Amino acid sequence: MTTVFSARGLTRIHRDGADQIVALADVDLDIEPGELVAVTGRSGCGKSTLLNLAGGLDQPTRGSVRVAGAELGSLRPDALAQMRRRHVGYVFQELNLLPTLTGIENVMLPLELDGIPTATARARAGEAIEAVDGSGFAARFPDQLSGGQRQRIAIARALVGTRTLILADEPTGALDEINGEAILRIIRTRCNEGAAALLVTHDPGQAAWADRVVRLRDGRVDAVTERSDPRAVLIATTR
Ligand SMILES: Nc1ncnc2c1ncn2[C@@H]1O[C@H](COP(=O)(O)OP(=O)(O)O)[C@@H](O)[C@H]1O
Ligand SMILES: [Mg+2]
């Protein structure tokens, strides 16, 4: 089994004039297929920085990130972009759906950018949307969708195709509890099927869906809690 995600000595320092802001410091983290890892901690502790580095959206000052065996820092820009399209699903805090595309077209886009023919892309996007119970509204444009429906489309886009690493930064932020639980259930189910996920949340109820909870403090790993409670897995599989 290949470790899906591996960080070693991961450090990100921002420079602000003469000042240094240490956003992340010496983080080591491995995530295996099937694992859902929650990242918690106060605002400003480095959660989003960790996710951005994990997805290759930001580059570390020191240390390394490997995704599906490839060291991100060694990839040329086109290879990095391809790796992200094929292996990494990212759910942003601000969703980033394209307003001029319908729901299903938003989900098809990463596949089409990867050279997959439209008919195949449409079929795979349809499956991803089915998995989030979104088929009834997939033909609508983002501004015709509720917050919860938009969130489901964004999740489908993150899960479509062969993605093995799901990165979600407070993905239930704008949702009520019921919709929020539906999103967690979808991510948990995908992990039970073999993906790995890194989920930023400050809700202990959401962290309860994780196999492991990593708490950050001032950019460092402050505590790691292994969860042996199989309830989250059971709930997810009796959907
Ligand atoms: N581009 C940047 N320039 C300067 N400081 C930044 C930048 N991005 C993040 N930071 C700082 O790094 C720290 C960690 O930020 P972040 O990862 O966004 O925290 P979190 O997501 O846990 O709230 C914070 O102190 C933040 O102000
Ligand atoms: Mg953040």
Side-chain angles (χ1 to χ4, degrees), residues 157-187:
R157 183 185 54 184
L159 300 184
V160 73
T162 55
R163 270 74 180 279
T164 47
L165 177 63
I166 313 302
L167 303 173
D169 197 344
E170 303 189 33
T172 64
L175 302 179
D176 58 43
E177 211 173 296
I178 293 166
N179 276 305
E181 187 180 314
I183 297 304
L184 265 295
R185 199 175 284 269
I186 291 160
I187 294 173

Short mmCIF file of all heavy atoms in Angstrom, two decimals, residues 157-187:
data_model
loop_
_atom_site.label_atom_id
_atom_site.label_comp_id
_atom_site.label_asym_id
_atom_site.label_seq_id
_atom_site.Cartn_x
_atom_site.Cartn_y
_atom_site.Cartn_z
N ARG A 157 -16.95 17.66 -7.38
CA ARG A 157 -15.79 18.06 -8.19
C ARG A 157 -14.48 17.58 -7.53
O ARG A 157 -13.54 17.20 -8.21
CB ARG A 157 -15.76 19.58 -8.37
CG ARG A 157 -14.63 20.08 -9.25
CD ARG A 157 -14.57 21.58 -9.31
NE ARG A 157 -14.50 22.14 -7.97
CZ ARG A 157 -14.51 23.42 -7.68
NH1 ARG A 157 -14.60 24.31 -8.66
NH2 ARG A 157 -14.44 23.83 -6.45
N ALA A 158 -14.46 17.61 -6.19
CA ALA A 158 -13.24 17.17 -5.49
C ALA A 158 -13.07 15.65 -5.56
O ALA A 158 -11.95 15.15 -5.50
CB ALA A 158 -13.28 17.62 -4.03
N LEU A 159 -14.19 14.92 -5.67
CA LEU A 159 -14.12 13.46 -5.61
C LEU A 159 -14.10 12.80 -6.99
O LEU A 159 -13.85 11.60 -7.09
CB LEU A 159 -15.32 12.90 -4.83
CG LEU A 159 -15.48 13.36 -3.38
CD1 LEU A 159 -16.66 12.64 -2.75
CD2 LEU A 159 -14.23 13.13 -2.58
N VAL A 160 -14.38 13.56 -8.03
CA VAL A 160 -14.58 12.95 -9.35
C VAL A 160 -13.32 12.23 -9.84
O VAL A 160 -12.20 12.63 -9.53
CB VAL A 160 -15.02 14.04 -10.38
CG1 VAL A 160 -13.86 14.95 -10.75
CG2 VAL A 160 -15.64 13.40 -11.62
N GLY A 161 -13.55 11.13 -10.57
CA GLY A 161 -12.43 10.43 -11.20
C GLY A 161 -11.60 9.67 -10.19
O GLY A 161 -12.13 9.00 -9.32
N THR A 162 -10.28 9.81 -10.30
CA THR A 162 -9.36 8.93 -9.58
C THR A 162 -8.75 9.55 -8.34
O THR A 162 -7.73 9.09 -7.85
CB THR A 162 -8.20 8.54 -10.52
OG1 THR A 162 -7.62 9.76 -11.02
CG2 THR A 162 -8.68 7.70 -11.67
N ARG A 163 -9.32 10.64 -7.86
CA ARG A 163 -8.71 11.35 -6.73
C ARG A 163 -8.51 10.44 -5.52
O ARG A 163 -9.44 9.79 -5.08
CB ARG A 163 -9.57 12.55 -6.33
CG ARG A 163 -9.20 13.83 -7.06
CD ARG A 163 -9.67 13.82 -8.50
NE ARG A 163 -9.32 15.04 -9.18
CZ ARG A 163 -10.01 16.18 -9.07
NH1 ARG A 163 -11.06 16.25 -8.30
NH2 ARG A 163 -9.62 17.24 -9.73
N THR A 164 -7.28 10.42 -5.02
CA THR A 164 -6.96 9.56 -3.88
C THR A 164 -6.68 10.37 -2.62
O THR A 164 -6.59 9.81 -1.54
CB THR A 164 -5.73 8.69 -4.18
OG1 THR A 164 -4.71 9.54 -4.73
CG2 THR A 164 -6.07 7.61 -5.17
N LEU A 165 -6.51 11.69 -2.77
CA LEU A 165 -6.27 12.55 -1.61
C LEU A 165 -7.30 13.68 -1.63
O LEU A 165 -7.33 14.47 -2.57
CB LEU A 165 -4.85 13.13 -1.64
CG LEU A 165 -4.49 14.11 -0.52
CD1 LEU A 165 -4.54 13.43 0.85
CD2 LEU A 165 -3.11 14.72 -0.74
N ILE A 166 -8.13 13.71 -0.60
CA ILE A 166 -9.17 14.73 -0.51
C ILE A 166 -8.73 15.76 0.54
O ILE A 166 -8.44 15.39 1.69
CB ILE A 166 -10.53 14.13 -0.04
CG1 ILE A 166 -10.89 12.86 -0.82
CG2 ILE A 166 -11.64 15.17 -0.09
CD1 ILE A 166 -10.97 13.02 -2.29
N LEU A 167 -8.64 17.02 0.15
CA LEU A 167 -8.26 18.10 1.06
C LEU A 167 -9.47 19.01 1.23
O LEU A 167 -9.97 19.57 0.25
CB LEU A 167 -7.09 18.89 0.48
CG LEU A 167 -5.84 18.06 0.15
CD1 LEU A 167 -4.81 18.91 -0.59
CD2 LEU A 167 -5.23 17.47 1.42
N ALA A 168 -9.96 19.12 2.45
CA ALA A 168 -11.18 19.90 2.67
C ALA A 168 -10.94 20.90 3.80
O ALA A 168 -10.63 20.51 4.93
CB ALA A 168 -12.35 18.97 3.01
N ASP A 169 -11.06 22.18 3.49
CA ASP A 169 -10.80 23.24 4.47
C ASP A 169 -12.13 23.79 4.98
O ASP A 169 -12.77 24.58 4.30
CB ASP A 169 -9.96 24.35 3.82
CG ASP A 169 -9.31 25.26 4.84
OD1 ASP A 169 -9.74 25.25 6.02
OD2 ASP A 169 -8.37 25.99 4.47
N GLU A 170 -12.52 23.36 6.17
CA GLU A 170 -13.81 23.74 6.75
C GLU A 170 -14.92 23.66 5.71
O GLU A 170 -15.61 24.65 5.44
CB GLU A 170 -13.71 25.14 7.37
CG GLU A 170 -12.60 25.18 8.42
CD GLU A 170 -12.59 26.46 9.24
OE1 GLU A 170 -13.66 27.03 9.47
OE2 GLU A 170 -11.49 26.89 9.63
N PRO A 171 -15.15 22.46 5.15
CA PRO A 171 -16.06 22.34 4.01
C PRO A 171 -17.53 22.53 4.38
O PRO A 171 -18.36 22.68 3.50
CB PRO A 171 -15.82 20.90 3.52
CG PRO A 171 -15.40 20.16 4.74
CD PRO A 171 -14.59 21.16 5.53
N THR A 172 -17.83 22.53 5.68
CA THR A 172 -19.23 22.69 6.05
C THR A 172 -19.50 24.07 6.64
O THR A 172 -20.56 24.31 7.19
CB THR A 172 -19.63 21.62 7.10
OG1 THR A 172 -18.86 21.84 8.28
CG2 THR A 172 -19.34 20.22 6.59
N GLY A 173 -18.52 24.97 6.47
CA GLY A 173 -18.59 26.30 7.08
C GLY A 173 -19.93 27.00 6.97
O GLY A 173 -20.46 27.48 7.97
N ALA A 174 -20.50 27.04 5.77
CA ALA A 174 -21.71 27.83 5.56
C ALA A 174 -22.99 27.01 5.67
O ALA A 174 -24.06 27.49 5.35
CB ALA A 174 -21.64 28.48 4.18
N LEU A 175 -22.87 25.80 6.16
CA LEU A 175 -24.02 24.90 6.13
C LEU A 175 -24.64 24.69 7.50
O LEU A 175 -23.97 24.80 8.52
CB LEU A 175 -23.60 23.53 5.58
CG LEU A 175 -22.98 23.55 4.19
CD1 LEU A 175 -22.59 22.14 3.80
CD2 LEU A 175 -23.97 24.12 3.18
N ASP A 176 -25.93 24.31 7.52
CA ASP A 176 -26.55 23.92 8.78
C ASP A 176 -26.06 22.52 9.14
O ASP A 176 -25.38 21.86 8.38
CB ASP A 176 -28.07 23.99 8.68
CG ASP A 176 -28.61 23.12 7.57
OD1 ASP A 176 -28.13 21.97 7.43
OD2 ASP A 176 -29.48 23.57 6.83
N GLU A 177 -26.45 22.08 10.34
CA GLU A 177 -25.91 20.83 10.87
C GLU A 177 -26.26 19.62 9.99
O GLU A 177 -25.43 18.74 9.79
CB GLU A 177 -26.50 20.63 12.27
CG GLU A 177 -25.58 19.89 13.20
CD GLU A 177 -26.15 19.88 14.61
OE1 GLU A 177 -26.28 20.96 15.22
OE2 GLU A 177 -26.51 18.80 15.05
N ILE A 178 -27.48 19.60 9.47
CA ILE A 178 -27.92 18.44 8.68
C ILE A 178 -27.11 18.34 7.40
O ILE A 178 -26.57 17.28 7.05
CB ILE A 178 -29.43 18.55 8.38
CG1 ILE A 178 -30.21 18.40 9.68
CG2 ILE A 178 -29.84 17.47 7.38
CD1 ILE A 178 -31.65 18.82 9.58
N ASN A 179 -26.97 19.45 6.68
CA ASN A 179 -26.17 19.44 5.46
C ASN A 179 -24.71 19.15 5.76
O ASN A 179 -24.03 18.47 5.01
CB ASN A 179 -26.29 20.78 4.73
CG ASN A 179 -27.52 20.81 3.85
OD1 ASN A 179 -27.72 19.94 3.00
ND2 ASN A 179 -28.36 21.79 4.07
N GLY A 180 -24.22 19.70 6.88
CA GLY A 180 -22.84 19.48 7.27
C GLY A 180 -22.57 18.00 7.50
O GLY A 180 -21.55 17.47 7.06
N GLU A 181 -23.52 17.32 8.14
CA GLU A 181 -23.32 15.90 8.39
C GLU A 181 -23.33 15.11 7.08
O GLU A 181 -22.56 14.15 6.91
CB GLU A 181 -24.40 15.35 9.34
CG GLU A 181 -24.06 13.93 9.71
CD GLU A 181 -25.05 13.27 10.65
OE1 GLU A 181 -25.43 13.92 11.63
OE2 GLU A 181 -25.42 12.12 10.37
N ALA A 182 -24.15 15.54 6.14
CA ALA A 182 -24.19 14.85 4.84
C ALA A 182 -22.83 14.93 4.15
O ALA A 182 -22.35 13.95 3.58
CB ALA A 182 -25.27 15.48 3.96
N ILE A 183 -22.18 16.09 4.25
CA ILE A 183 -20.86 16.26 3.62
C ILE A 183 -19.82 15.36 4.29
O ILE A 183 -19.03 14.69 3.63
CB ILE A 183 -20.42 17.75 3.74
CG1 ILE A 183 -21.39 18.67 2.99
CG2 ILE A 183 -18.99 17.94 3.25
CD1 ILE A 183 -21.59 18.36 1.55
N LEU A 184 -19.86 15.32 5.63
CA LEU A 184 -18.92 14.45 6.36
C LEU A 184 -19.12 12.99 5.99
O LEU A 184 -18.16 12.23 5.82
CB LEU A 184 -19.10 14.63 7.86
CG LEU A 184 -18.19 15.62 8.55
CD1 LEU A 184 -16.75 15.12 8.47
CD2 LEU A 184 -18.24 17.00 7.93
N ARG A 185 -20.38 12.60 5.84
CA ARG A 185 -20.72 11.22 5.49
C ARG A 185 -20.15 10.87 4.10
O ARG A 185 -19.62 9.77 3.90
CB ARG A 185 -22.25 11.13 5.45
CG ARG A 185 -22.83 9.76 5.54
CD ARG A 185 -24.35 9.88 5.61
NE ARG A 185 -24.80 10.29 6.91
CZ ARG A 185 -25.12 9.43 7.89
NH1 ARG A 185 -25.03 8.15 7.68
NH2 ARG A 185 -25.51 9.87 9.06
N ILE A 186 -20.22 11.80 3.18
CA ILE A 186 -19.70 11.57 1.83
C ILE A 186 -18.18 11.39 1.87
O ILE A 186 -17.62 10.47 1.26
CB ILE A 186 -20.08 12.76 0.90
CG1 ILE A 186 -21.58 12.75 0.64
CG2 ILE A 186 -19.29 12.69 -0.41
CD1 ILE A 186 -22.11 14.10 0.17
N ILE A 187 -17.50 12.27 2.62
CA ILE A 187 -16.03 12.17 2.70
C ILE A 187 -15.64 10.87 3.41
O ILE A 187 -14.73 10.16 2.97
CB ILE A 187 -15.45 13.40 3.42
CG1 ILE A 187 -15.70 14.66 2.57
CG2 ILE A 187 -13.96 13.23 3.70
CD1 ILE A 187 -15.32 15.97 3.25
#
